[in-house]
Amino acid sequence: MEKPNIIELTAVERNIDPKRLENIRKEDLVPAVVYGPGVEGNLHFSVPRVALEKILSVKNLQFIKLMFEGGKHIDAILKVTQFHPVTDAPVHADFYATKEDVPVTVTIPIRLKGTSPGVIEGGRLYQSLRKLSVSALPGVLPSELTVDISKLQIGHNLKVRTLKLKDITPLMSPDRTILVIRPPRGGKAKIVEFADGEEAPQEEAAEAAAE
């Protein structure tokens, strides 16, 4: 599994002044804060909006190196981003400082690899979990979790407990289903993906209950 990219992000320290926030945003900067191991209290700063949006456009896990004036830097992950309700532009970002010997909680995307023989035979692939919350030391975290489906036949499913995660602790139930290959209903096979936590349509749920 590939390691997360390390992205350098320019950070300019700022004072806590609500009256200044709007001016900061007019300068195409986004107010931000970093907290966590090695950081005393909350450190407030600003980052370039364009650079932050580029980070947000990547689904894979990334490590951020916050670069402050004078050569100071803080290793971190992007924890929370607030967006404008109308323009959807980022208006504030929370970063969490990381240390090599301190476990961190992150969400990692799940990517499917290969082609399922069950799908080729007409089965339908349902992916109900697209990302997984885990806890681990920063050094062992991958940028994404790759799941090989090249041996899955009709009727097979994968659960969280089937993942091979060395030194990584899943924070979801081990019985949580990642995906399932369901039998065909006739015609060509189709792939339907559901967002995390989304329920299947009623007709599919009824069919599943009957199996």
Side-chain angles (χ1 to χ4, degrees), residues 22 30 35 45 48 53 74-75 108 135 144 158 177 180 188:
E22 194 58 36
V30 178
Y35 46 85
F45 57 98
E53 288 180 336
I74 297 176
D75 295 329
I108 304 179
S135 176
E144 63 182 6
L158 289 178
T177 299
V180 61
K188 295 183 179 180

Side-chain angles (χ1 to χ4, degrees), residues 42-154:
N42 294 339
L43 178 59
H44 296 266
F45 57 98
S46 301
V47 298
R49 178 187 58 80
V50 174
L52 179 61
E53 288 180 336
K54 186 175 181 180
I55 291 172
L56 290 168
S57 69
V58 177
K59 294 182 179 180
N60 288 8
L61 176 65
Q62 303 171 89
F63 290 135
I64 312 299
K65 189 179 290 291
L66 298 171
M67 307 298 294
F68 292 88
E69 187 177 358
K72 172 185 174 182
H73 75 271
I74 297 176
D75 295 329
I77 56 172
L78 180 58
K79 199 71 173 177
V80 179
T81 307
Q82 298 176 23
F83 297 91
H84 191 280
V86 177
T87 66
D88 207 32
V91 295
H92 193 276
D94 284 24
F95 292 85
Y96 184 80
T98 60
K99 293 291 184 182
E100 292 183 0
D101 58 347
V102 179
V104 63
T105 298
V106 296
T107 300
I108 304 179
I110 298 173
R111 181 176 66 87
L112 305 185
K113 176 184 177 181
T115 301
S116 162
V119 171
I120 294 176
E121 294 172 3
R124 293 164 293 146
L125 187 155
Y126 291 85
Q127 184 178 358
S128 59
L129 190 63
R130 295 186 180 184
K131 53 189 178 181
L132 183 68
S133 295
V134 302
S135 176
L137 295 175
V140 303
L141 288 169
S143 62
E144 63 182 6
L145 297 173
T146 303
V147 176
D148 188 356
I149 63 171
S150 60
K151 296 182 180 180
L152 295 185
Q153 303 288 344
I154 292 175

Side-chain angles (χ1 to χ4, degrees), residues 153-157 180-183:
Q153 303 288 344
I154 292 175
H156 287 180
N157 64 50
V180 61
I181 310 295
R182 294 205 177 280

